[in-house]
Amino acid sequence: ITQEKIHLPPRTTTGPVSLETTESWLDRPRSVGSANSHALVFDTRNESIEPGTARSAVITGWSTDRSVGPVFRVVQTAVNPLAPGESAEIGPLGLDAGGTKRLFFTAQDDRPFQVRIETGGVFERMFTSLHEPGGAPYRGENGFAAGPREDAAVYQVDGRDVVAGGYQIVAVASPVAPGKVAIRLRHSPFRLTAGRTRDEVRLILDNLSDASQDATTRAALLGGVFRATIQGVGGEERRLSFVIPAWARFMELDVSLSPDDWSRFTDYGVTVLDELGRVVADGPLDYSHGRLSQLLGEAHADLPVVVSLMPGLADTTDTAPWVAMVEVRFYAGSAVPLQSSEGSSAVVSLPPGRTDTTAFVMRSSPWPLGDGFVPLGIVMTETEGPTWTREVALPPLPETQ
């Protein structure tokens, strides 16, 4: 049983207030405080909420004179997510036309996961979405249509993108026809972390599962990455310049603000412009973290660009400072493998709760990197099922180390 408190506006009536709830799992709601400081306190019986699901209830407060209507109504939603690292297979479940199935689960730092959603027939389609802790859409590609078998919607979340906390996967049936949906959630058995020494890239695997795990590990270079901290004041536009290299085939640009700063903006524009002012990529931030993804094509020269950050303030008189974190990643057309002592891969056998480190020989970047850019790498583990990955920046160590 967990206890929660909700603060309410000052009472508009005198005398006692009786409380009613629509659901039995919301146990013993009661009011505390005075007319000027009033709160609801209630207990939630978690065992009555199936793991991975959420339930809602309405608490209604009545005065002694019910003819005037309720004093207040409060809607309370309780979520009972799956435990950290807990996998799940749900369905096939039948959904009515326009029906929704949600699965709530808990992710852990640096531990990749995969969600697969498929329908029951070739003519069935469902809309799916993945949401991060706090409700923001998953920062990678999102909003897939799900179909059967090979047309399933698959969210393969790299360890770099995992935010520790409660996620939600949503499947919505066609508004005009019922259907069946099956959801499969799998977490990597390992936490993947990696870093660079002077001559090596070291992959560290922590076996978080309750069984021994055999895996093949690999590492490779993908391209280059650049990070910058942009400081602004009020609603002023800020700009960041860099060059898109000729070898880059794909670009991702992440912009992040602190939640406290984000609450000051109604919108926040992000636009990439070339030297002639033409738009290369653009998109507003709808949440405190946003990502632009852009295909760059097979043949292009080095392209100088400017990233324009354009905050829209909720209060136009706001002149307080703000800070934005910008990360730009360029991906080449193909990865370049790194070699371990066993060759291009290494085999690991790891008991539960144990840690293993595999070293790969670092090599110079096969692509010229611009000012401020460092190599972008990826480490991988192949087990029975998905290949689990984590992208990582590989800056050279200072000469003194």
Side-chain angles (χ1 to χ4, degrees), residues 25-228:
W25 57 263
L26 202 60
D27 192 39
R28 296 188 298 117
R30 52 204 181 275
S31 62
V32 297
S34 64
N36 294 323
S37 178
H38 188 52
L40 276 180
V41 178
F42 51 88
D43 300 326
T44 300
R45 294 185 175 275
N46 295 329
E47 72 274 8
S48 66
I49 303 175
E50 183 181 351
T53 68
R55 297 183 67 180
S56 295
V58 178
I59 304 170
T60 305
W62 297 92
S63 67
T64 53
D65 183 5
R66 293 203 169 203
S67 66
V68 299
V71 177
F72 59 79
R73 286 192 178 96
V74 175
V75 178
Q76 172 64 13
T77 298
V79 177
N80 187 17
L82 299 177
E86 182 179 352
S87 297
E89 293 191 35
I90 298 174
L93 298 175
L95 293 181
D96 294 333
T100 301
K101 174 59 182 175
R102 304 175 189 270
L103 175 65
F104 298 86
F105 60 95
T106 307
Q108 297 169 287
D109 279 329
D110 302 317
R111 187 176 189 180
F113 65 85
Q114 182 196 78
V115 184
R116 179 184 174 89
I117 310 103
E118 61 179 280
T119 62
V122 294
F123 298 111
E124 294 180 11
R125 288 294 183 271
M126 293 192 181
F127 176 81
T128 70
S129 57
L130 176 64
H131 297 265
E132 297 181 353
Y138 166 54
R139 61 196 61 196
E141 192 174 356
N142 203 354
F144 295 129
R149 297 182 292 278
E150 65 273 9
D151 291 328
V154 178
Y155 294 90
Q156 186 78 41
V157 180
D158 182 90
R160 179 202 66 203
D161 283 340
V162 175
V163 180
Y167 278 75
Q168 176 185 178
I169 187 72
V170 182
V172 182
S174 164
V176 296
K180 291 186 177 180
V181 63
I183 301 175
R184 184 177 188 183
L185 166 68
R186 300 185 67 176
H187 295 267
S188 165
F190 307 111
R191 175 181 286 117
L192 281 69
T193 54
R196 178 178 174 179
T197 65
R198 184 166 304 283
D199 301 316
E200 294 178 333
V201 174
R202 293 185 177 179
L203 165 60
I204 301 172
L205 296 181
D206 296 303
N207 186 355
L208 302 180
S209 73
D210 56 4
S212 293
Q213 298 289 336
D214 296 325
T216 300
T217 62
R218 303 179 190 274
L221 298 181
L222 297 177
V225 57
F226 169 75
R227 291 170 177 165

Side-chain angles (χ1 to χ4, degrees), residues 110 158-161 192 194 222 227 252 327 329 331 376-380 389-394:
D110 302 317
D158 182 90
R160 179 202 66 203
D161 283 340
L192 281 69
L222 297 177
R227 291 170 177 165
E252 285 188 340
E327 181 174 289
R329 295 181 298 277
Y331 297 85
L376 174 65
I378 187 170
V379 291
M380 298 165 279
T389 66
R390 191 189 193 287
E391 293 186 13
V392 59
L394 300 172

Side-chain angles (χ1 to χ4, degrees), residues 232 238 248 299 311 362:
R238 300 293 292 163
M362 183 61 187

Side-chain angles (χ1 to χ4, degrees), residues 292-370:
L292 295 182
S293 299
Q294 184 65 44
L295 286 169
L296 299 172
E298 293 292 331
H300 61 86
D302 287 349
L303 179 63
V305 295
V306 172
V307 177
S308 174
L309 306 180
M310 296 168 286
L313 290 169
D315 178 1
T316 57
T317 64
D318 183 349
T319 57
W322 50 265
V323 176
M325 307 301 297
V326 179
E327 181 174 289
V328 184
R329 295 181 298 277
F330 293 129
Y331 297 85
S334 59
V336 175
L338 301 179
Q339 300 294 310
S340 72
S341 60
E342 301 177 26
S344 61
S345 63
V347 177
V348 173
S349 184
L350 201 57
R354 299 294 295 274
T355 300
D356 179 84
T357 300
T358 304
F360 296 87
V361 178
M362 183 61 187
R363 54 162 294 173
S364 59
S365 172
W367 313 284
L369 301 178

